[in-house]
Amino acid sequence: MIAKDLTKPAILFVGHGSRDVEAVEEFYQLAEHFKARFPDRLVETGFLEFVKPIIRDGVQKLMDQGVTHIQAIPGMLMAGGHAKNDIPSELNAIQNDMGVTIDYGSELGVDPKMLQAARHRIEEAEAQFGDDYKREDTLLMVVGRGASDADANSNIAKITRFLEEGMGFGFATTSYSGVTTPLVPDALVKTYPMGFKKVIVFPYFMFTGRLVKKIYAWADEFQAAHPDVQVVKAPYLNDHPLVIDTFVDSLSQIEAGNPNMNCQLCQYRVQIVGFEHKVGTPQESHHHHVQGIGTDADHSHAHDHSHSHAHEHDHSHGHDHHHEPHRPRVTVKDMAD
């Protein structure tokens, strides 16, 4: 076993958390792949909600091993409210309370490696169509989680466009699992008159969970109602090696001092049409009531958090961009003046 080098910052791999046991298992599987890339570093995990250990517990476990400097990587695809607000808010509070230095990385975002991983998952689905398959006669539907942040939603649309042009689909469209529109069923119905007889539904998600399972159920319902169309469900990203590579790149950006989020279109920093009221709102987390409450396996009557914002849990998140001194030490380029 390789000895850990305590002169190097420890790594905290931060997950959103899920009530779905399979989703949690897949997160841990991805985390193990990530740990394998840094055998000489201390690496722990922490979750924003539902699952234990929560973020604070993960930090405490590292500090118990003598760590004073941590690099935190958000296990998030896009910079919505969780990556921009909830996680850095938790890390700020932890630093103030526990006296540890934490540098914060950026989400995976629209990245060439992530696009390649998405292409591979779509190609896995295409194999189900058979020998007469033609990509130019096929409609690709990329499904995002959906957020109340247009920046995050637009990145899913951007990914769709890259895949459409780069892979040569007859048409590609974007839908979402919740919070914003169009939802998957509506998008499928609206594109049906275009006449495509082959449709690929690709959830641009990292892990399984209630949302991915709902997306696949919607695809099955559309297939049952439209037997003239062949609908294929593409695998989600999961622990594709290029996803791990992108997380490693995110860590490298912290070490280089440039873990940039998209400040130009951040609704907490600049006035975005329709969201002007969010500029400069306080940075605070809204997840304390669900931190560590457990998965579905822990209690069958899980806390009812399933209303519309449960898909993203994006409760009008704030993001501290006031031009005044920030709470100390969380290094997030998006938060810099």
Side-chain angles (χ1 to χ4, degrees):
M1 184 175 181
I2 298 176
K4 305 302 180 183
D5 185 353
L6 293 180
T7 66
K8 294 181 179 180
I11 301 169
L12 182 69
F13 197 51
V14 182
H16 175 275
S18 173
R19 287 172 293 180
D20 188 281
V21 176
E22 292 179 73
V24 176
E25 290 174 349
E26 288 180 354
F27 176 87
Y28 278 123
Q29 180 179 337
L30 189 149
E32 286 301 317
H33 290 309
F34 182 76
K35 288 181 182 180
R37 301 288 186 97
F38 301 95
D40 63 335
R41 305 271 289 272
L42 286 172
V43 183
E44 294 294 340
T45 57
F47 294 92
L48 183 63
E49 61 183 22
F50 300 123
V51 187
K52 294 181 180 179
I54 62 174
I55 296 172
R56 185 176 292 265
D57 294 339
V59 172
Q60 185 64 62
K61 189 171 183 180
L62 289 170
M63 293 183 68
D64 289 345
Q65 298 174 79
V67 168
T68 59
H69 186 188
I70 296 171
Q71 294 173 336
I73 303 294
M76 308 287 167
L77 288 171
M78 296 300 163
H82 296 317
K84 289 180 179 179
N85 178 77
D86 296 311
I87 295 173
S89 174
E90 289 289 321
L91 296 178
N92 272 324
I94 288 168
Q95 286 193 121
N96 289 338
D97 296 343
M98 302 173 68
V100 61
T101 299
I102 304 177
D103 299 326
Y104 183 47
S106 62
E107 83 294 346
L108 296 178
V110 183
D111 182 274
K113 292 185 178 70
M114 296 300 293
L115 290 171
Q116 292 288 354
R119 184 191 71 175
H120 293 163
R121 295 307 191 208
I122 293 167
E123 288 173 344
E124 290 178 39
E126 288 178 314
Q128 301 177 49
F129 282 129
D131 295 336
D132 61 342
Y133 170 67
K134 293 181 180 179
R135 193 173 282 167
E136 60 269 24
D137 296 332
T138 303
L139 183 144
L140 172 68
M141 180 172 292
V142 179
V143 185
R145 176 179 293 272
S148 61
D149 189 327
D151 185 19
N153 295 330
S154 65
N155 277 339
I156 300 297
K158 189 172 185 177
I159 286 167
T160 301
R161 189 68 185 185
F162 271 118
L163 294 171
E164 177 183 16
E165 294 195 17
M167 297 183 72
F169 284 98
F171 189 75
T173 189
T174 307
S175 64
Y176 302 91
S177 65
V179 183
T180 192
T181 58
L183 297 178
V184 176
D186 297 332
L188 287 169
V189 169
K190 287 179 180 178
T191 55
Y192 177 69
M194 298 178 71
F196 287 97
K197 300 304 180 184
K198 288 181 171 58
V199 174
I200 299 173
V201 176
F202 169 48
Y204 196 80
F205 281 64
M206 197 100 68
F207 310 110
T208 189
R210 294 184 173 192
L211 300 183
V212 169
K213 292 172 183 177
K214 182 168 69 173
I215 291 164
Y216 287 157
W218 278 331
D220 290 340
E221 290 169 6
F222 180 81
Q223 174 71 91
H226 301 83
D228 58 319
V229 179
Q230 185 179 1
V231 181
V232 164
K233 296 169 289 188
Y236 47 93
L237 293 163
N238 205 357
D239 60 342
H240 191 287
L242 290 171
V243 173
I244 313 300
D245 288 345
T246 313
F247 276 120
V248 172
D249 289 345
S250 179
L251 187 70
S252 299
Q253 289 167 11
I254 298 178
E255 295 171 342
N258 61 346
N260 295 315
M261 290 185 183
N262 184 2
C263 293
Q264 290 179 323
L265 293 173
C266 177
Q267 65 183 2
Y268 304 111
R269 188 182 183 99
V270 298
Q271 292 191 347
I272 301 297
V273 174
F275 297 93
E276 292 88 350
H277 62 286
K278 291 193 175 184
V279 174
T281 50
Q283 184 183 47
E284 56 187 0
S285 177
H286 300 267
H287 291 73
H288 299 295
H289 63 298
V290 289
Q291 283 184 341
I293 67 169
T295 64
D296 289 338
D298 297 317
H299 44 92
S300 59
H301 54 287
H303 170 69
D304 184 5
H305 201 56
S306 59
H307 42 90
S308 62
H309 65 247
H311 305 300
E312 170 66 11
H313 309 295
D314 199 349
H315 319 268
S316 299
H317 295 321
H319 189 37
D320 189 356
H321 280 133
H322 297 293
H323 290 272
E324 60 189 32
H326 296 296
R327 282 164 287 188
R329 309 297 306 183
V330 169
T331 306
V332 190
K333 288 294 183 179
D334 184 45
M335 295 166 59
D337 290 335

